[in-house]
Amino acid sequence: MKKFTIFALATLLYAGAMAQEAKKEATKPEGYKFTVVKQVQGTPVKDQFRSGTCWSFSGIGFLENELIRTGKGEFDLSEMWLVRNCYAAKAEKYVRLQGNFNFAGGGGFFDLFWVMNNFGLVPEEAYPGLKYGEEKHVHGELDALTKAYVDVIVKNPNKKLSTAWKNGFSGILDAYLGTTPEKFSYKGKEYTPQSFAKELNINADDYVSLTSYTHHPFYKKMILEIPDNWLWEESYNLPLDELMQVVDNSLNNGYSIAWGADVSEKGFQYNKGVAVIPQTNVANLSNSEKSKWSELTAKERESMIYKLEEPVSEMTITQQMRQDAFDNYQTTDDHGMVLEGIAKDQKGDTFYIVKNSWSADGIYKGYFYASRPFVQYKTMNIMVHKNAIPKEIQKKLGIK
């Protein structure tokens, strides 16, 4: 009888503990849950690793998606081919401007088409750009060395630029990234970079860059004043609501988007697979949310919100907020990615499916979800095929 009582008591205690655990599990925050609404077919996620070449990876990723969309098949194109050719051109421009120019590893989306038109394109296997003892891209030494080189040239120690400096710079690029192939074989056929690009049949004139800032007139072209826009390429300037119409229209009609954005916000949490702009002002919260947060300090409130254990209320983004963030260096040309789809969270709020270039790891295997407010607030510019733009906006921009 005593043994039975002890056994029964132990059983009850165990059952109680299990019930308590089940209760805890039931009340545990579930985080963000997403349902895909629309997703464009794209190529696999790649890894820029320790290099400042997101612009090249996102530009190439965007172009690879376009090749799929237009029925040309799946390609793995060389990002370092863009990097190599842009480095040489940036060096020449830096010297021509006597060092009054941003010389770094960054770039913009239109660098892709500038290289394609002037030097062609090559597949990854023809130019991997790894000649310096690394299996992945590590550009710290290359970036520092090329910058030091052009700075010496700008100092002009001979009082006249030598005829050798461009060959010397090219030698650095050859040593680290590899010599540029005049010809290569791909899938049993011989190409030059130019003939390969021609066979892809991509027309650079079909692609446009769009942005949204008030310091230039809307519906006109403007040079986006960011350091990595070394080509001084122009973007069409649209009001924010129309820029977002382009984003939605593109994705809903099967066009991916090259997306230049700032990912320095606290709400960008790649380890949790989301990028959001939480509402931290109690006055702007609903009554139920106000009661939840009113007794917390601002620091406690921010800490709770940025845990992102469940969907949070987000700020309403205005045109002025975008402009203020840009003018105050709170939004900078931080990162290039590819928008490939639209999703909804469990509250029904809109998110965009983003392909990153930090390898196929993380909670969503190289992807993350950016909320609509995040995209509204932190977008620097987008590049799309002109046919992805709604007809009425094309007309306002004079695009044919």
Side-chain angles (χ1 to χ4, degrees):
M1 185 70 178
K2 186 175 180 181
K3 287 182 180 178
F4 177 77
T5 302
I6 292 171
F7 176 76
L9 179 60
T11 301
L12 287 171
L13 289 172
Y14 177 75
M18 291 301 292
Q20 196 68 22
E21 283 299 315
K23 185 177 180 181
K24 285 182 182 178
E25 193 65 31
T27 58
K28 183 180 178 182
E30 63 175 346
Y32 281 85
K33 304 294 181 184
F34 296 104
T35 301
V36 174
V37 176
K38 179 77 176 182
Q39 187 155 14
V40 176
Q41 185 179 355
T43 54
V45 173
K46 302 180 189 180
D47 189 4
Q48 71 182 79
F49 201 51
R50 285 158 42 201
S51 71
T53 58
C54 59
W55 58 274
S56 179
F57 278 80
S58 51
I60 286 291
F62 170 74
L63 181 61
E64 290 173 349
N65 289 4
E66 283 292 279
L67 292 170
I68 292 174
R69 183 186 65 80
T70 54
K72 299 180 180 72
E74 186 170 318
F75 289 83
D76 182 6
L77 303 177
S78 170
E79 293 81 16
M80 290 303 115
W81 177 257
L82 303 191
V83 173
R84 161 62 192 254
N85 285 292
C86 287
Y87 247 132
K90 279 188 280 189
E92 185 170 351
K93 198 165 192 176
Y94 184 82
V95 172
R96 192 172 296 280
L97 293 175
Q98 300 176 48
N100 297 303
F101 175 72
N102 180 56
F103 183 88
F109 296 134
F110 268 105
D111 297 7
L112 161 66
F113 295 118
W114 181 83
V115 171
M116 183 184 79
N117 287 340
N118 288 280
F119 304 100
L121 294 170
V122 301
E124 175 71 15
E125 64 187 57
Y127 199 79
L130 289 165
K131 292 289 187 179
Y132 48 97
E134 298 285 350
E135 294 182 357
K136 295 183 178 182
H137 305 294
V138 182
H139 283 190
E141 187 174 298
L142 175 62
D143 290 344
L145 184 58
T146 50
K147 179 61 164 61
Y149 185 98
V150 291
D151 280 340
V152 168
I153 302 305
V154 167
K155 287 178 182 177
N156 193 16
N158 286 358
K159 307 304 179 184
K160 178 184 176 183
L161 298 190
S162 75
T163 59
W165 84 262
K166 292 181 185 179
N167 289 336
F169 189 84
S170 182
I172 296 172
L173 299 179
D174 288 347
Y176 281 82
L177 302 178
T179 57
T180 55
E182 292 184 6
K183 294 181 180 180
F184 59 88
S185 293
Y186 180 70
K187 294 185 177 180
K189 186 175 178 180
E190 188 172 78
Y191 294 94
T192 66
Q194 290 79 7
S195 67
F196 182 73
K198 185 177 181 180
E199 187 160 302
L200 295 179
N201 195 27
I202 292 290
N203 182 3
D205 293 335
D206 288 339
Y207 296 88
V208 296
S209 176
L210 303 162
T211 190
S212 180
Y213 291 108
T214 60
H215 65 290
H216 288 279
F218 288 134
Y219 309 114
K220 303 289 185 181
K221 283 187 176 183
M222 58 170 277
I223 294 176
L224 190 57
E225 304 97 333
I226 54 177
D228 284 340
N229 185 15
W230 67 276
L231 278 174
W232 301 331
E233 284 288 351
E234 293 181 312
S235 298
Y236 288 99
N237 196 27
L238 284 175
L240 178 57
D241 61 336
E242 293 186 87
L243 182 70
M244 295 307 296
Q245 286 179 43
V246 175
V247 169
D248 292 335
N249 192 71
S250 299
L251 296 171
N252 281 317
N253 286 283
Y255 294 85
S256 59
I257 301 166
W259 182 45
D262 185 325
V263 295
S264 63
E265 294 289 318
K266 290 183 180 179
F268 173 76
Q269 297 191 18
Y270 185 66
N271 62 326
K272 294 184 178 180
V274 295
V276 294
I277 305 292
Q279 176 58 263
T280 56
N281 186 345
V282 173
N284 293 326
L285 298 175
S286 66
N287 289 332
S288 60
E289 289 171 324
K290 282 181 183 177
S291 62
K292 181 178 180 180
W293 299 108
S294 59
E295 296 182 1
L296 298 176
T297 66
K299 186 176 180 179
E300 289 171 334
R301 192 179 304 126
E302 186 175 281
S303 175
M304 290 292 290
I305 287 173
Y306 286 110
K307 283 183 179 179
L308 300 183
E309 293 180 336
E310 58 187 358
V312 297
S313 295
E314 296 194 53
M315 291 185 184
T316 299
I317 307 302
T318 66
Q319 189 81 59
Q320 191 60 50
M321 287 173 65
R322 276 184 55 81
Q323 191 66 39
D324 290 343
F326 182 69
D327 290 344
N328 296 324
Y329 300 164
Q330 292 170 320
T331 296
T332 60
D333 55 332
D334 207 37
H335 194 33
M337 298 151 282
V338 185
L339 300 183
E340 289 190 348
I342 299 173
K344 299 281 186 180
D345 71 359
Q346 61 265 54
K347 291 170 58 180
D349 291 331
T350 298
F351 281 72
Y352 297 96
I353 304 168
V354 186
K355 180 164 72 175
N356 204 357
S357 54
W358 296 346
S359 80
D361 60 5
I363 186 171
Y364 296 115
K365 307 301 181 187
Y367 285 79
F368 68 91
Y369 293 84
S371 71
R372 186 175 182 84
F374 191 96
V375 172
Q376 289 173 315
Y377 190 33
K378 292 283 117 178
T379 295
M380 298 292 298
N381 73 308
I382 61 173
M383 186 170 70
V384 297
H385 192 285
K386 64 182 183 181
N387 290 345
I389 302 172
K391 295 296 183 184
E392 62 273 17
I393 298 178
Q394 285 188 36
K395 187 175 181 180
K396 289 180 182 180
L397 296 175
I399 293 174
K400 297 179 180 180

